[in-house]
Amino acid sequence: MLHQPLSSDARLLRRHGPGHRTAAVCFHHAGGGMSAYRGWAEQLAPHLDVVLVQLKGREDRTAEPLTDDLGDLAVRIARDICGMPYDDLVLVGHSMGATIAWAVADAIWAVYRRRVRVVLSAQAPPPYTDRIGPVGRQPVGEVRHGRTVDVSGAVGDALTSAADAFHSDILAADLAWMSREFPALVPRPLPVDLYCVAAGQDPLLAPEDMAGWASLTTGHFSQRTVPGGHMYLLTDPTPVLGLVETLAAQGSTDRTVGHVR
C-alpha cells in the first residue's frame, strides 16, 4: 500500500492506497489534523485511494504557523492533486475542511476544467455573515494570545470536545485564520456533484443552514442528516464512509465525471 507524500510541498498532501484510479481527498476540521481520518485508508482501500491534507500548525507540522492566503492554498492543493494519477476525485471536508474543500473544487474547475464530486460535512456555505460565521451560528469573540477568536459557548464545547489543552491552542489559531480568510471567499456556482451531510444535534449548525449549498452547484445536489453533534465524524464516520464508497463505485462505471473533454 502506498503511504507517501506526493506534492511539490511533500508535507501538505499524503497519499495512501494500492493505486486506484479514484481518490478521496480529505480535509480536516479546525483544531485537528490528518489523524482525524485515521483508518479511512484501510476502510476504503478496496474502493479508492485516500489523500490526506495536512495543514500547517498541527501534528508533524506544529512548528509551521498557518498563515497562508486561502486562495493561494486552494490553488496549490488543486495543482498538486491534479498532478496525481487519478481520473476521479472526491473531495471530503468536515467543518473548516468543508470550506477549504469547496475552495479547492473551485480552483480545480477554474484552472484545470476538471469536475469533481464534493462531500461537505457540518458547514454552512459562504458568504459568511454575522448570523452564520466561519464556524457556525452567531460566533462570539474572545481574545486569546492577542487574537480574537470564536471559542466561547457552543463553539468551544463542540470543537474541543475531543481535544486536550495542547489542541486548544491549535484550535484558537485555526479559528483566527478562518475569521481572517473565510469572509473573503466569494461563492459562485460550480459544475460539481455536491453531497452535504449535517448532524441533527449540532449546536453550531442547524441542518437547514446547509441547504444553501444547493444554489452553488449546477450539478447534482443532495443533503442528509445523521445523528450526533458537530464532531460526529470522529465518533461515527460510517455514513460518510458509505457515501464515499458509493461515489467511488459510480466513478468506476462513468469515467467521464472526472474530466471535461
Side-chain angles (χ1 to χ4, degrees):
M1 175 178 289
L2 293 172
H3 184 167
Q4 63 189 46
L6 276 182
S7 169
S8 59
D9 179 351
R11 297 159 296 182
L12 180 59
L13 302 180
R14 321 293 174 90
R15 180 184 173 201
H16 305 254
H20 290 289
R21 302 294 295 276
T22 300
V25 184
C26 300
F27 299 78
H28 59 72
H29 60 278
M34 64 182 185
S35 64
Y37 295 98
R38 182 182 294 114
W40 279 46
E42 289 75 16
Q43 178 74 26
L44 295 173
H47 311 282
L48 73 168
D49 286 2
V50 173
V51 178
L52 302 179
V53 177
Q54 181 77 317
L55 298 181
K56 296 175 182 176
R58 68 215 67 242
E59 297 177 352
D60 61 353
R61 305 194 70 183
T62 302
E64 306 170 71
L66 180 58
T67 58
D68 304 71
D69 173 87
L70 176 60
D72 291 345
L73 178 64
V75 169
R76 187 160 70 250
I77 294 173
R79 177 197 65 208
D80 289 346
I81 62 177
C82 285
M84 293 180 180
Y86 297 116
D87 293 330
D88 302 318
L89 295 168
V90 180
L91 309 188
V92 183
H94 179 73
S95 194
M96 175 182 80
T99 300
I100 300 173
W102 181 257
V104 171
D106 188 300
I108 290 174
W109 174 249
V111 177
Y112 301 98
R113 283 299 188 260
R114 288 187 66 174
R115 300 179 190 269
V116 297
R117 271 93 41 94
V118 185
V119 178
L120 302 181
S121 169
Q123 181 66 307
Y128 297 110
T129 66
D130 290 340
R131 189 181 75 88
I132 300 294
V135 288
R137 287 179 172 272
Q138 300 175 334
V140 180
E142 174 181 326
V143 176
R144 181 178 288 187
H145 303 304
R147 299 186 297 265
T148 301
V149 294
D150 304 322
V151 294
S152 62
V155 175
D157 291 343
L159 292 179
T160 62
S161 59
D164 55 24
F166 172 75
H167 291 103
S168 68
D169 283 341
I170 300 172
L171 173 62
D174 283 351
L175 293 176
W177 179 75
M178 292 166 67
S179 295
R180 185 180 72 245
E181 296 294 330
F182 280 17
L185 182 60
V186 179
R188 56 182 174 179
L190 298 177
V192 302
D193 289 344
L194 182 56
Y195 305 83
C196 289
V197 183
Q201 293 76 48
D202 189 340
L204 302 185
L205 199 76
E208 58 266 26
D209 291 334
M210 293 194 72
W213 285 108
S215 66
L216 295 179
T217 176
T218 59
H220 169 83
F221 175 82
S222 69
Q223 179 177 332
R224 64 181 296 188
T225 300
V226 299
H230 190 72
M231 300 307 294
Y232 78 92
L233 197 65
L234 293 184
T235 56
D236 184 14
T238 305
V240 177
L241 280 167
L243 174 58
V244 173
E245 290 175 356
T246 298
L247 295 179
Q250 291 174 353
S252 67
T253 59
D254 182 11
R255 294 294 183 187
T256 61
V257 76
H259 292 77
V260 175
R261 303 189 188 279

PDB file of all heavy atoms in Angstrom, residues 178-216:
ATOM      1  N   MET A 178      -9.469  31.269  10.119  1.00  0.00           N
ATOM      2  CA  MET A 178     -10.758  31.224   9.444  1.00  0.00           C
ATOM      3  C   MET A 178     -11.441  32.591   9.462  1.00  0.00           C
ATOM      4  O   MET A 178     -11.997  33.027   8.442  1.00  0.00           O
ATOM      5  CB  MET A 178     -11.662  30.191  10.120  1.00  0.00           C
ATOM      6  CG  MET A 178     -11.202  28.756   9.948  1.00  0.00           C
ATOM      7  SD  MET A 178     -12.055  27.638  11.105  1.00  0.00           S
ATOM      8  CE  MET A 178     -13.732  27.717  10.502  1.00  0.00           C
ATOM      9  N   SER A 179     -11.408  33.250  10.603  1.00  0.00           N
ATOM     10  CA  SER A 179     -12.053  34.552  10.714  1.00  0.00           C
ATOM     11  C   SER A 179     -11.420  35.574   9.784  1.00  0.00           C
ATOM     12  O   SER A 179     -12.086  36.505   9.321  1.00  0.00           O
ATOM     13  CB  SER A 179     -11.981  35.048  12.166  1.00  0.00           C
ATOM     14  OG  SER A 179     -12.737  34.212  13.009  1.00  0.00           O
ATOM     15  N   ARG A 180     -10.140  35.392   9.498  1.00  0.00           N
ATOM     16  CA  ARG A 180      -9.436  36.305   8.586  1.00  0.00           C
ATOM     17  C   ARG A 180      -9.661  35.942   7.125  1.00  0.00           C
ATOM     18  O   ARG A 180      -9.857  36.817   6.273  1.00  0.00           O
ATOM     19  CB  ARG A 180      -7.937  36.289   8.891  1.00  0.00           C
ATOM     20  CG  ARG A 180      -7.143  37.299   8.063  1.00  0.00           C
ATOM     21  CD  ARG A 180      -5.664  37.254   8.383  1.00  0.00           C
ATOM     22  NE  ARG A 180      -5.017  36.056   7.861  1.00  0.00           N
ATOM     23  CZ  ARG A 180      -4.481  35.104   8.602  1.00  0.00           C
ATOM     24  NH1 ARG A 180      -4.531  35.184   9.930  1.00  0.00           N
ATOM     25  NH2 ARG A 180      -3.907  34.053   8.043  1.00  0.00           N
ATOM     26  N   GLU A 181      -9.634  34.655   6.806  1.00  0.00           N
ATOM     27  CA  GLU A 181      -9.628  34.215   5.406  1.00  0.00           C
ATOM     28  C   GLU A 181     -11.012  33.896   4.832  1.00  0.00           C
ATOM     29  O   GLU A 181     -11.271  34.191   3.669  1.00  0.00           O
ATOM     30  CB  GLU A 181      -8.722  32.982   5.254  1.00  0.00           C
ATOM     31  CG  GLU A 181      -7.258  33.245   5.563  1.00  0.00           C
ATOM     32  CD  GLU A 181      -6.609  34.198   4.572  1.00  0.00           C
ATOM     33  OE1 GLU A 181      -7.032  34.210   3.402  1.00  0.00           O
ATOM     34  OE2 GLU A 181      -5.694  34.935   4.972  1.00  0.00           O
ATOM     35  N   PHE A 182     -11.889  33.291   5.626  1.00  0.00           N
ATOM     36  CA  PHE A 182     -13.132  32.776   5.056  1.00  0.00           C
ATOM     37  C   PHE A 182     -14.101  33.867   4.581  1.00  0.00           C
ATOM     38  O   PHE A 182     -14.784  33.664   3.573  1.00  0.00           O
ATOM     39  CB  PHE A 182     -13.829  31.858   6.058  1.00  0.00           C
ATOM     40  CG  PHE A 182     -13.252  30.466   6.104  1.00  0.00           C
ATOM     41  CD1 PHE A 182     -12.000  30.177   5.577  1.00  0.00           C
ATOM     42  CD2 PHE A 182     -13.949  29.433   6.697  1.00  0.00           C
ATOM     43  CE1 PHE A 182     -11.465  28.901   5.627  1.00  0.00           C
ATOM     44  CE2 PHE A 182     -13.440  28.149   6.748  1.00  0.00           C
ATOM     45  CZ  PHE A 182     -12.197  27.885   6.213  1.00  0.00           C
ATOM     46  N   PRO A 183     -14.220  35.013   5.287  1.00  0.00           N
ATOM     47  CA  PRO A 183     -15.183  36.023   4.802  1.00  0.00           C
ATOM     48  C   PRO A 183     -14.871  36.562   3.412  1.00  0.00           C
ATOM     49  O   PRO A 183     -15.762  37.100   2.745  1.00  0.00           O
ATOM     50  CB  PRO A 183     -15.084  37.132   5.865  1.00  0.00           C
ATOM     51  CG  PRO A 183     -14.662  36.420   7.096  1.00  0.00           C
ATOM     52  CD  PRO A 183     -13.684  35.375   6.613  1.00  0.00           C
ATOM     53  N   ALA A 184     -13.637  36.413   2.951  1.00  0.00           N
ATOM     54  CA  ALA A 184     -13.269  36.902   1.621  1.00  0.00           C
ATOM     55  C   ALA A 184     -13.637  35.915   0.514  1.00  0.00           C
ATOM     56  O   ALA A 184     -13.507  36.242  -0.674  1.00  0.00           O
ATOM     57  CB  ALA A 184     -11.769  37.189   1.570  1.00  0.00           C
ATOM     58  N   LEU A 185     -14.107  34.730   0.881  1.00  0.00           N
ATOM     59  CA  LEU A 185     -14.455  33.726  -0.115  1.00  0.00           C
ATOM     60  C   LEU A 185     -15.759  34.118  -0.802  1.00  0.00           C
ATOM     61  O   LEU A 185     -16.811  34.216  -0.172  1.00  0.00           O
ATOM     62  CB  LEU A 185     -14.604  32.353   0.551  1.00  0.00           C
ATOM     63  CG  LEU A 185     -14.926  31.167  -0.362  1.00  0.00           C
ATOM     64  CD1 LEU A 185     -13.836  30.975  -1.412  1.00  0.00           C
ATOM     65  CD2 LEU A 185     -15.100  29.898   0.465  1.00  0.00           C
ATOM     66  N   VAL A 186     -15.693  34.382  -2.093  1.00  0.00           N
ATOM     67  CA  VAL A 186     -16.862  34.793  -2.869  1.00  0.00           C
ATOM     68  C   VAL A 186     -17.428  33.561  -3.578  1.00  0.00           C
ATOM     69  O   VAL A 186     -16.773  33.005  -4.460  1.00  0.00           O
ATOM     70  CB  VAL A 186     -16.492  35.872  -3.901  1.00  0.00           C
ATOM     71  CG1 VAL A 186     -17.718  36.260  -4.719  1.00  0.00           C
ATOM     72  CG2 VAL A 186     -15.893  37.097  -3.202  1.00  0.00           C
ATOM     73  N   PRO A 187     -18.623  33.115  -3.200  1.00  0.00           N
ATOM     74  CA  PRO A 187     -19.148  31.877  -3.788  1.00  0.00           C
ATOM     75  C   PRO A 187     -19.649  32.088  -5.208  1.00  0.00           C
ATOM     76  O   PRO A 187     -20.133  33.160  -5.570  1.00  0.00           O
ATOM     77  CB  PRO A 187     -20.304  31.526  -2.851  1.00  0.00           C
ATOM     78  CG  PRO A 187     -20.777  32.850  -2.337  1.00  0.00           C
ATOM     79  CD  PRO A 187     -19.539  33.702  -2.216  1.00  0.00           C
ATOM     80  N   ARG A 188     -19.506  31.065  -6.017  1.00  0.00           N
ATOM     81  CA  ARG A 188     -20.076  31.062  -7.357  1.00  0.00           C
ATOM     82  C   ARG A 188     -20.471  29.632  -7.676  1.00  0.00           C
ATOM     83  O   ARG A 188     -19.844  28.674  -7.198  1.00  0.00           O
ATOM     84  CB  ARG A 188     -19.071  31.572  -8.385  1.00  0.00           C
ATOM     85  CG  ARG A 188     -17.758  30.802  -8.410  1.00  0.00           C
ATOM     86  CD  ARG A 188     -16.799  31.389  -9.420  1.00  0.00           C
ATOM     87  NE  ARG A 188     -15.496  30.747  -9.359  1.00  0.00           N
ATOM     88  CZ  ARG A 188     -14.477  31.067 -10.158  1.00  0.00           C
ATOM     89  NH1 ARG A 188     -14.634  32.021 -11.060  1.00  0.00           N
ATOM     90  NH2 ARG A 188     -13.317  30.446 -10.041  1.00  0.00           N
ATOM     91  N   PRO A 189     -21.509  29.444  -8.472  1.00  0.00           N
ATOM     92  CA  PRO A 189     -21.942  28.074  -8.792  1.00  0.00           C
ATOM     93  C   PRO A 189     -20.859  27.324  -9.560  1.00  0.00           C
ATOM     94  O   PRO A 189     -20.202  27.871 -10.447  1.00  0.00           O
ATOM     95  CB  PRO A 189     -23.187  28.296  -9.658  1.00  0.00           C
ATOM     96  CG  PRO A 189     -23.670  29.651  -9.286  1.00  0.00           C
ATOM     97  CD  PRO A 189     -22.433  30.448  -8.999  1.00  0.00           C
ATOM     98  N   LEU A 190     -20.680  26.051  -9.206  1.00  0.00           N
ATOM     99  CA  LEU A 190     -19.703  25.199  -9.867  1.00  0.00           C
ATOM    100  C   LEU A 190     -20.405  23.984 -10.477  1.00  0.00           C
ATOM    101  O   LEU A 190     -21.390  23.495  -9.919  1.00  0.00           O
ATOM    102  CB  LEU A 190     -18.656  24.709  -8.854  1.00  0.00           C
ATOM    103  CG  LEU A 190     -17.790  25.759  -8.165  1.00  0.00           C
ATOM    104  CD1 LEU A 190     -16.866  25.080  -7.148  1.00  0.00           C
ATOM    105  CD2 LEU A 190     -16.989  26.559  -9.174  1.00  0.00           C
ATOM    106  N   PRO A 191     -19.871  23.457 -11.570  1.00  0.00           N
ATOM    107  CA  PRO A 191     -20.457  22.260 -12.184  1.00  0.00           C
ATOM    108  C   PRO A 191     -19.945  20.992 -11.522  1.00  0.00           C
ATOM    109  O   PRO A 191     -19.258  20.169 -12.126  1.00  0.00           O
ATOM    110  CB  PRO A 191     -19.998  22.375 -13.638  1.00  0.00           C
ATOM    111  CG  PRO A 191     -18.666  23.052 -13.540  1.00  0.00           C
ATOM    112  CD  PRO A 191     -18.787  24.023 -12.392  1.00  0.00           C
ATOM    113  N   VAL A 192     -20.258  20.834 -10.248  1.00  0.00           N
ATOM    114  CA  VAL A 192     -19.817  19.673  -9.484  1.00  0.00           C
ATOM    115  C   VAL A 192     -21.042  18.980  -8.910  1.00  0.00           C
ATOM    116  O   VAL A 192     -22.109  19.580  -8.761  1.00  0.00           O
ATOM    117  CB  VAL A 192     -18.861  20.069  -8.341  1.00  0.00           C
ATOM    118  CG1 VAL A 192     -17.636  20.791  -8.881  1.00  0.00           C
ATOM    119  CG2 VAL A 192     -19.569  20.934  -7.299  1.00  0.00           C
ATOM    120  N   ASP A 193     -20.892  17.702  -8.596  1.00  0.00           N
ATOM    121  CA  ASP A 193     -21.916  16.994  -7.839  1.00  0.00           C
ATOM    122  C   ASP A 193     -21.605  17.176  -6.367  1.00  0.00           C
ATOM    123  O   ASP A 193     -20.478  16.924  -5.909  1.00  0.00           O
ATOM    124  CB  ASP A 193     -21.928  15.513  -8.203  1.00  0.00           C
ATOM    125  CG  ASP A 193     -22.467  15.271  -9.603  1.00  0.00           C
ATOM    126  OD1 ASP A 193     -23.105  16.186 -10.168  1.00  0.00           O
ATOM    127  OD2 ASP A 193     -22.243  14.173 -10.142  1.00  0.00           O
ATOM    128  N   LEU A 194     -22.607  17.616  -5.610  1.00  0.00           N
ATOM    129  CA  LEU A 194     -22.385  18.063  -4.243  1.00  0.00           C
ATOM    130  C   LEU A 194     -23.283  17.291  -3.285  1.00  0.00           C
ATOM    131  O   LEU A 194     -24.499  17.211  -3.477  1.00  0.00           O
ATOM    132  CB  LEU A 194     -22.689  19.566  -4.159  1.00  0.00           C
ATOM    133  CG  LEU A 194     -22.485  20.275  -2.838  1.00  0.00           C
ATOM    134  CD1 LEU A 194     -21.062  20.099  -2.328  1.00  0.00           C
ATOM    135  CD2 LEU A 194     -22.810  21.763  -2.994  1.00  0.00           C
ATOM    136  N   TYR A 195     -22.654  16.733  -2.241  1.00  0.00           N
ATOM    137  CA  TYR A 195     -23.345  15.909  -1.263  1.00  0.00           C
ATOM    138  C   TYR A 195     -23.086  16.494   0.119  1.00  0.00           C
ATOM    139  O   TYR A 195     -21.937  16.554   0.562  1.00  0.00           O
ATOM    140  CB  TYR A 195     -22.852  14.463  -1.329  1.00  0.00           C
ATOM    141  CG  TYR A 195     -22.953  13.872  -2.713  1.00  0.00           C
ATOM    142  CD1 TYR A 195     -21.956  14.112  -3.664  1.00  0.00           C
ATOM    143  CD2 TYR A 195     -24.048  13.099  -3.082  1.00  0.00           C
ATOM    144  CE1 TYR A 195     -22.053  13.590  -4.943  1.00  0.00           C
ATOM    145  CE2 TYR A 195     -24.146  12.568  -4.362  1.00  0.00           C
ATOM    146  CZ  TYR A 195     -23.148  12.825  -5.290  1.00  0.00           C
ATOM    147  OH  TYR A 195     -23.248  12.313  -6.563  1.00  0.00           O
ATOM    148  N   CYS A 196     -24.150  16.926   0.794  1.00  0.00           N
ATOM    149  CA  CYS A 196     -23.995  17.559   2.099  1.00  0.00           C
ATOM    150  C   CYS A 196     -24.497  16.646   3.205  1.00  0.00           C
ATOM    151  O   CYS A 196     -25.504  15.951   3.040  1.00  0.00           O
ATOM    152  CB  CYS A 196     -24.764  18.879   2.135  1.00  0.00           C
ATOM    153  SG  CYS A 196     -24.024  20.180   1.116  1.00  0.00           S
ATOM    154  N   VAL A 197     -23.781  16.665   4.328  1.00  0.00           N
ATOM    155  CA  VAL A 197     -24.150  15.862   5.487  1.00  0.00           C
ATOM    156  C   VAL A 197     -24.180  16.776   6.702  1.00  0.00           C
ATOM    157  O   VAL A 197     -23.183  17.448   7.018  1.00  0.00           O
ATOM    158  CB  VAL A 197     -23.152  14.711   5.723  1.00  0.00           C
ATOM    159  CG1 VAL A 197     -23.614  13.848   6.905  1.00  0.00           C
ATOM    160  CG2 VAL A 197     -22.990  13.859   4.473  1.00  0.00           C
ATOM    161  N   ALA A 198     -25.315  16.831   7.377  1.00  0.00           N
ATOM    162  CA  ALA A 198     -25.471  17.634   8.589  1.00  0.00           C
ATOM    163  C   ALA A 198     -25.726  16.710   9.767  1.00  0.00           C
ATOM    164  O   ALA A 198     -26.227  15.591   9.607  1.00  0.00           O
ATOM    165  CB  ALA A 198     -26.633  18.616   8.429  1.00  0.00           C
ATOM    166  N   ALA A 199     -25.388  17.194  10.962  1.00  0.00           N
ATOM    167  CA  ALA A 199     -25.636  16.431  12.182  1.00  0.00           C
ATOM    168  C   ALA A 199     -26.868  16.988  12.884  1.00  0.00           C
ATOM    169  O   ALA A 199     -26.994  18.201  13.074  1.00  0.00           O
ATOM    170  CB  ALA A 199     -24.425  16.490  13.108  1.00  0.00           C
ATOM    171  N   GLY A 200     -27.755  16.102  13.270  1.00  0.00           N
ATOM    172  CA  GLY A 200     -29.029  16.521  13.825  1.00  0.00           C
ATOM    173  C   GLY A 200     -28.935  17.245  15.146  1.00  0.00           C
ATOM    174  O   GLY A 200     -29.806  18.061  15.473  1.00  0.00           O
ATOM    175  N   GLN A 201     -27.876  16.982  15.929  1.00  0.00           N
ATOM    176  CA  GLN A 201     -27.731  17.620  17.244  1.00  0.00           C
ATOM    177  C   GLN A 201     -26.547  18.594  17.275  1.00  0.00           C
ATOM    178  O   GLN A 201     -25.978  18.852  18.329  1.00  0.00           O
ATOM    179  CB  GLN A 201     -27.559  16.554  18.331  1.00  0.00           C
ATOM    180  CG  GLN A 201     -28.799  15.687  18.568  1.00  0.00           C
ATOM    181  CD  GLN A 201     -29.025  14.648  17.492  1.00  0.00           C
ATOM    182  OE1 GLN A 201     -28.106  13.928  17.101  1.00  0.00           O
ATOM    183  NE2 GLN A 201     -30.250  14.562  16.983  1.00  0.00           N
ATOM    184  N   ASP A 202     -26.193  19.141  16.129  1.00  0.00           N
ATOM    185  CA  ASP A 202     -25.073  20.073  16.034  1.00  0.00           C
ATOM    186  C   ASP A 202     -25.465  21.419  16.637  1.00  0.00           C
ATOM    187  O   ASP A 202     -26.390  22.073  16.150  1.00  0.00           O
ATOM    188  CB  ASP A 202     -24.699  20.253  14.556  1.00  0.00           C
ATOM    189  CG  ASP A 202     -23.407  21.036  14.360  1.00  0.00           C
ATOM    190  OD1 ASP A 202     -22.989  21.754  15.282  1.00  0.00           O
ATOM    191  OD2 ASP A 202     -22.834  20.933  13.260  1.00  0.00           O
ATOM    192  N   PRO A 203     -24.790  21.889  17.710  1.00  0.00           N
ATOM    193  CA  PRO A 203     -25.143  23.177  18.309  1.00  0.00           C
ATOM    194  C   PRO A 203     -24.663  24.372  17.495  1.00  0.00           C
ATOM    195  O   PRO A 203     -25.081  25.505  17.747  1.00  0.00           O
ATOM    196  CB  PRO A 203     -24.431  23.129  19.669  1.00  0.00           C
ATOM    197  CG  PRO A 203     -23.238  22.268  19.428  1.00  0.00           C
ATOM    198  CD  PRO A 203     -23.702  21.213  18.454  1.00  0.00           C
ATOM    199  N   LEU A 204     -23.793  24.144  16.531  1.00  0.00           N
ATOM    200  CA  LEU A 204     -23.244  25.242  15.739  1.00  0.00           C
ATOM    201  C   LEU A 204     -23.987  25.459  14.433  1.00  0.00           C
ATOM    202  O   LEU A 204     -23.940  26.552  13.868  1.00  0.00           O
ATOM    203  CB  LEU A 204     -21.765  24.978  15.404  1.00  0.00           C
ATOM    204  CG  LEU A 204     -20.819  24.768  16.570  1.00  0.00           C
ATOM    205  CD1 LEU A 204     -19.398  24.644  16.068  1.00  0.00           C
ATOM    206  CD2 LEU A 204     -20.939  25.904  17.572  1.00  0.00           C
ATOM    207  N   LEU A 205     -24.660  24.426  13.951  1.00  0.00           N
ATOM    208  CA  LEU A 205     -25.210  24.496  12.604  1.00  0.00           C
ATOM    209  C   LEU A 205     -26.476  23.660  12.514  1.00  0.00           C
ATOM    210  O   LEU A 205     -26.428  22.441  12.697  1.00  0.00           O
ATOM    211  CB  LEU A 205     -24.169  23.979  11.599  1.00  0.00           C
ATOM    212  CG  LEU A 205     -24.378  24.375  10.150  1.00  0.00           C
ATOM    213  CD1 LEU A 205     -23.983  25.830   9.925  1.00  0.00           C
ATOM    214  CD2 LEU A 205     -23.556  23.483   9.236  1.00  0.00           C
ATOM    215  N   ALA A 206     -27.594  24.306  12.234  1.00  0.00           N
ATOM    216  CA  ALA A 206     -28.824  23.565  12.005  1.00  0.00           C
ATOM    217  C   ALA A 206     -28.778  22.934  10.618  1.00  0.00           C
ATOM    218  O   ALA A 206     -28.186  23.509   9.697  1.00  0.00           O
ATOM    219  CB  ALA A 206     -30.022  24.505  12.107  1.00  0.00           C
ATOM    220  N   PRO A 207     -29.369  21.757  10.444  1.00  0.00           N
ATOM    221  CA  PRO A 207     -29.330  21.122   9.123  1.00  0.00           C
ATOM    222  C   PRO A 207     -29.802  22.028   7.995  1.00  0.00           C
ATOM    223  O   PRO A 207     -29.245  21.995   6.891  1.00  0.00           O
ATOM    224  CB  PRO A 207     -30.250  19.916   9.303  1.00  0.00           C
ATOM    225  CG  PRO A 207     -30.106  19.555  10.754  1.00  0.00           C
ATOM    226  CD  PRO A 207     -29.994  20.877  11.464  1.00  0.00           C
ATOM    227  N   GLU A 208     -30.806  22.881   8.274  1.00  0.00           N
ATOM    228  CA  GLU A 208     -31.305  23.749   7.209  1.00  0.00           C
ATOM    229  C   GLU A 208     -30.282  24.801   6.779  1.00  0.00           C
ATOM    230  O   GLU A 208     -30.374  25.361   5.679  1.00  0.00           O
ATOM    231  CB  GLU A 208     -32.606  24.440   7.638  1.00  0.00           C
ATOM    232  CG  GLU A 208     -32.513  25.283   8.891  1.00  0.00           C
ATOM    233  CD  GLU A 208     -32.905  24.510  10.146  1.00  0.00           C
ATOM    234  OE1 GLU A 208     -32.781  23.262  10.153  1.00  0.00           O
ATOM    235  OE2 GLU A 208     -33.341  25.165  11.115  1.00  0.00           O
ATOM    236  N   ASP A 209     -29.283  25.053   7.624  1.00  0.00           N
ATOM    237  CA  ASP A 209     -28.252  26.024   7.256  1.00  0.00           C
ATOM    238  C   ASP A 209     -27.372  25.522   6.127  1.00  0.00           C
ATOM    239  O   ASP A 209     -26.691  26.309   5.472  1.00  0.00           O
ATOM    240  CB  ASP A 209     -27.378  26.370   8.470  1.00  0.00           C
ATOM    241  CG  ASP A 209     -28.129  27.161   9.528  1.00  0.00           C
ATOM    242  OD1 ASP A 209     -29.096  27.856   9.166  1.00  0.00           O
ATOM    243  OD2 ASP A 209     -27.759  27.082  10.709  1.00  0.00           O
ATOM    244  N   MET A 210     -27.361  24.211   5.906  1.00  0.00           N
ATOM    245  CA  MET A 210     -26.554  23.662   4.820  1.00  0.00           C
ATOM    246  C   MET A 210     -27.285  23.665   3.484  1.00  0.00           C
ATOM    247  O   MET A 210     -26.674  23.437   2.433  1.00  0.00           O
ATOM    248  CB  MET A 210     -26.101  22.238   5.146  1.00  0.00           C
ATOM    249  CG  MET A 210     -25.124  22.143   6.309  1.00  0.00           C
ATOM    250  SD  MET A 210     -24.303  20.524   6.398  1.00  0.00           S
ATOM    251  CE  MET A 210     -23.172  20.606   4.995  1.00  0.00           C
ATOM    252  N   ALA A 211     -28.584  23.931   3.502  1.00  0.00           N
ATOM    253  CA  ALA A 211     -29.369  23.868   2.276  1.00  0.00           C
ATOM    254  C   ALA A 211     -28.908  24.894   1.245  1.00  0.00           C
ATOM    255  O   ALA A 211     -29.097  24.700   0.041  1.00  0.00           O
ATOM    256  CB  ALA A 211     -30.852  24.074   2.590  1.00  0.00           C
ATOM    257  N   GLY A 212     -28.277  25.970   1.710  1.00  0.00           N
ATOM    258  CA  GLY A 212     -27.816  26.992   0.788  1.00  0.00           C
ATOM    259  C   GLY A 212     -26.746  26.531  -0.177  1.00  0.00           C
ATOM    260  O   GLY A 212     -26.517  27.180  -1.212  1.00  0.00           O
ATOM    261  N   TRP A 213     -26.103  25.399   0.115  1.00  0.00           N
ATOM    262  CA  TRP A 213     -25.114  24.870  -0.820  1.00  0.00           C
ATOM    263  C   TRP A 213     -25.754  24.507  -2.158  1.00  0.00           C
ATOM    264  O   TRP A 213     -25.074  24.496  -3.194  1.00  0.00           O
ATOM    265  CB  TRP A 213     -24.436  23.623  -0.235  1.00  0.00           C
ATOM    266  CG  TRP A 213     -23.436  23.885   0.833  1.00  0.00           C
ATOM    267  CD1 TRP A 213     -23.574  23.623   2.171  1.00  0.00           C
ATOM    268  CD2 TRP A 213     -22.115  24.431   0.683  1.00  0.00           C
ATOM    269  NE1 TRP A 213     -22.437  23.985   2.853  1.00  0.00           N
ATOM    270  CE2 TRP A 213     -21.521  24.478   1.970  1.00  0.00           C
ATOM    271  CE3 TRP A 213     -21.386  24.885  -0.415  1.00  0.00           C
ATOM    272  CZ2 TRP A 213     -20.234  24.960   2.180  1.00  0.00           C
ATOM    273  CZ3 TRP A 213     -20.092  25.366  -0.207  1.00  0.00           C
ATOM    274  CH2 TRP A 213     -19.531  25.402   1.078  1.00  0.00           C
ATOM    275  N   ALA A 214     -27.059  24.224  -2.159  1.00  0.00           N
ATOM    276  CA  ALA A 214     -27.729  23.805  -3.398  1.00  0.00           C
ATOM    277  C   ALA A 214     -27.619  24.864  -4.487  1.00  0.00           C
ATOM    278  O   ALA A 214     -27.546  24.539  -5.677  1.00  0.00           O
ATOM    279  CB  ALA A 214     -29.191  23.482  -3.119  1.00  0.00           C
ATOM    280  N   SER A 215     -27.596  26.136  -4.091  1.00  0.00           N
ATOM    281  CA  SER A 215     -27.517  27.212  -5.083  1.00  0.00           C
ATOM    282  C   SER A 215     -26.112  27.379  -5.637  1.00  0.00           C
ATOM    283  O   SER A 215     -25.907  28.164  -6.571  1.00  0.00           O
ATOM    284  CB  SER A 215     -27.985  28.531  -4.466  1.00  0.00           C
ATOM    285  OG  SER A 215     -27.090  28.949  -3.436  1.00  0.00           O
ATOM    286  N   LEU A 216     -25.140  26.652  -5.096  1.00  0.00           N
ATOM    287  CA  LEU A 216     -23.752  26.802  -5.525  1.00  0.00           C
ATOM    288  C   LEU A 216     -23.291  25.671  -6.435  1.00  0.00           C
ATOM    289  O   LEU A 216     -22.100  25.563  -6.716  1.00  0.00           O
ATOM    290  CB  LEU A 216     -22.836  26.896  -4.297  1.00  0.00           C
ATOM    291  CG  LEU A 216     -23.050  28.139  -3.432  1.00  0.00           C
ATOM    292  CD1 LEU A 216     -22.106  28.133  -2.236  1.00  0.00           C
ATOM    293  CD2 LEU A 216     -22.861  29.408  -4.239  1.00  0.00           C
TER     294      LEU A 216
END
